[in-house]
Amino acid sequence: MSAAGQGWNRREFVGAASLLALALGVPAAAIKLTDLDAQDAPTDRQRRLMTRVADLVIPRTDTPGAADVGAGDFVILALAHGLNETRAPMAAANVTAALAPFRRRNGSLRYLAWLENALDRSASGDFLRHPRERQAEILAALDEAAFAKEAPFSPWNVIKGLILTGYYTSEAGASQELRYELVPGKWEWNIPLTPEMRAFSSDWTAVDFG
């Protein structure tokens, strides 16, 4: 296996590639880790970090969480393959001094390297060595700043969106976390909502993820 594939076993890669193929609308066989640039090969630590972050965003409850369905690896593959224009040059207005060190020669951003640096910096050390509760606080602060009104561009918005995409295109996300009905039946224009009701998987993009 090439350096780009180091640390990825076949089962893990196939699972993440299947999610990415669904998002891209292409055969899973078209997603190849060996085609990626060497600088896009994730380190073992980056994979662990992305898995933990995905788990913090959508933890396991009575349904599988994002880590359970491989959403972390999905994000790594999605970024490397340029899903949501993540390999396109950044708009000049979005380039800041904090982001400049993570730009490629073509002007695109190395999102994974940025996230690793941002979380470690906020943790004053190794983010992964902190207790889960502290990790959640650090990520919540990053999330709040990124989604604040009139906040400048943050790579976190893109990464979080990919976590949600990976999760809700998985079988568990689409049919367990969301409510799936193959044949919805007649049109019901007024359905009372109760706390235990789930959003329908046929319209998951309309869910307000917060």
Side-chain angles (χ1 to χ4, degrees):
M1 182 176 286
S2 69
Q6 226 170 14
W8 294 59
N9 66 44
R10 177 175 176 79
R11 181 177 179 181
E12 292 167 336
F13 171 69
V14 169
S18 296
L19 294 181
L20 182 58
L22 284 173
L24 292 175
V26 301
I31 310 299
K32 297 180 180 179
L33 187 63
T34 52
D35 288 344
L36 306 183
D37 293 339
Q39 65 178 353
D40 292 315
T43 65
D44 287 341
R45 183 178 188 272
Q46 287 174 333
R47 286 193 65 208
R48 293 196 306 273
L49 180 74
M50 197 64 250
T51 297
R52 175 52 59 87
V53 167
D55 182 56
L56 291 169
V57 172
I58 307 178
R60 182 188 305 167
T61 55
D62 59 332
T63 57
D68 297 315
V69 303
D73 282 345
F74 163 84
V75 173
I76 293 173
L77 281 179
L79 290 171
H81 283 275
L83 187 64
N84 293 353
E85 301 185 348
T86 51
R87 293 302 296 263
M90 292 180 61
N94 292 337
V95 179
T96 63
L99 297 181
F102 304 101
R103 296 177 72 199
R104 298 185 180 90
R105 290 185 177 181
N106 72 344
S108 62
L109 188 68
R110 293 183 292 119
Y111 286 84
L112 190 60
W114 171 84
L115 180 65
E116 184 176 30
N117 178 270
L119 293 178
D120 284 344
R121 189 175 64 252
S122 296
S124 299
D126 189 341
F127 173 82
L128 290 174
R129 289 184 178 273
H130 284 271
R132 182 184 179 87
E133 293 75 15
R134 177 56 182 153
Q135 292 174 349
E137 291 175 356
I138 293 171
L139 191 62
L142 179 68
D143 187 87
E144 183 178 1
F147 286 93
K149 186 177 181 180
E150 300 183 359
F153 168 78
S154 171
W156 171 245
N157 300 57
V158 176
I159 295 171
K160 184 178 183 181
L162 289 174
I163 293 172
L164 297 174
T165 297
Y167 182 70
Y168 286 104
T169 51
S170 72
E171 181 179 359
S175 64
Q176 297 181 45
E177 174 64 20
L178 298 179
R179 180 177 174 181
Y180 175 74
E181 289 192 18
L182 180 61
V183 182
K186 66 179 181 179
W187 166 251
E188 296 284 354
W189 67 274
N190 186 13
I191 300 177
L193 295 178
T194 59
E196 68 275 6
M197 290 186 69
R198 301 179 183 275
F200 284 89
S201 59
S202 58
D203 191 29
W204 68 269
T205 53
V207 176
D208 181 6
F209 293 112

